[in-house]
Amino acid sequence: MAKSKFPGRRTGAKAQGASASGGTVTVEPTEPKVRTSPMQFLSQVRAEGRKIVWPSRKETWITSVMVFIMVLIAAVFFWIVDLGLGWSIEKIISIGS
């Protein structure tokens, strides 16, 4: 009989307590979650909101322009690909007629 690659694992017959999926899963009970009061929740939300760093008007403008340029480049690329595929399909169809 060949040696197991995984010592301690049974091969062949099912191990005791194993389910049809191949093994059992034990879930450890966790501590119950502590509920927060609505006022404490709102104060935490405000504290997190103060940590937000918003982009400046200049950063927003530059990012918007870059997105517009990338959209134009993608549109031109796909238009050229569409023209090339359309032309090649027309040539293939015209061969048969």
Side-chain angles (χ1 to χ4, degrees), residues 19-61:
S19 65
S21 66
T24 58
V25 176
T26 306
V27 178
E28 296 292 326
T30 58
E31 296 178 15
K33 292 184 179 179
V34 179
R35 295 185 59 92
T36 348
S37 69
M39 291 305 292
Q40 187 179 10
F41 173 75
L42 288 176
S43 69
Q44 290 175 354
V45 168
R46 289 185 68 193
E48 289 296 320
R50 283 188 223 108
K51 294 178 186 177
I52 297 173
V53 178
W54 294 99
S56 67
R57 186 176 295 266
K58 182 179 179 182
E59 289 172 330
T60 305
W61 174 252

Side-chain angles (χ1 to χ4, degrees), residues 5-26:
K5 292 181 183 178
F6 305 102
R9 282 184 79 174
R10 292 178 128 193
T11 55
K14 271 197 216 177
Q16 281 185 343
S19 65
S21 66
T24 58
V25 176
T26 306

